[in-house]
Structure formats: structure tokens, C-alpha cells
Amino acid sequence: MHFFLLDVVEEPWLQRNGRDIIVLTVMALIAIAAIVGIFIWIKKKKKAE
């Protein structure tokens, strides 16, 4: 009897978690953009006063 599960090749970590890495990268970029945007908004608000 032949077991098909034994033929599974170990896939690389990057290939296995590639989608998660992309999602986390996008979320990190959005967070950084939000923080920078808040700082710019605060500076403009202080300048206007």
C-alpha cells in the first residue's frame, strides 16, 4: 500500500507564510502612515494658531 502523505515535500517557511507576511507588511505601512499623518496634522494645527 502506498501512502500519499509521505510524498509531501517540506515547503519553505517563506512560501508557507507568504500571505501572512504580506498582510502584516501592509498593516504596518498603514500604521506608520497614520502616525506620520497625525504628527503632520498636529504641526499644521499648531502653526495655524
Side-chain angles (χ1 to χ4, degrees), residues 20-44:
D20 296 336
I21 293 170
I22 292 170
V23 169
L24 288 174
T25 303
V26 169
M27 288 174 68
L29 289 174
I30 291 171
I32 291 169
I35 292 169
V36 169
I38 289 169
F39 277 122
I40 291 172
W41 179 69
I42 289 172
K43 277 192 172 186
K44 283 187 176 182

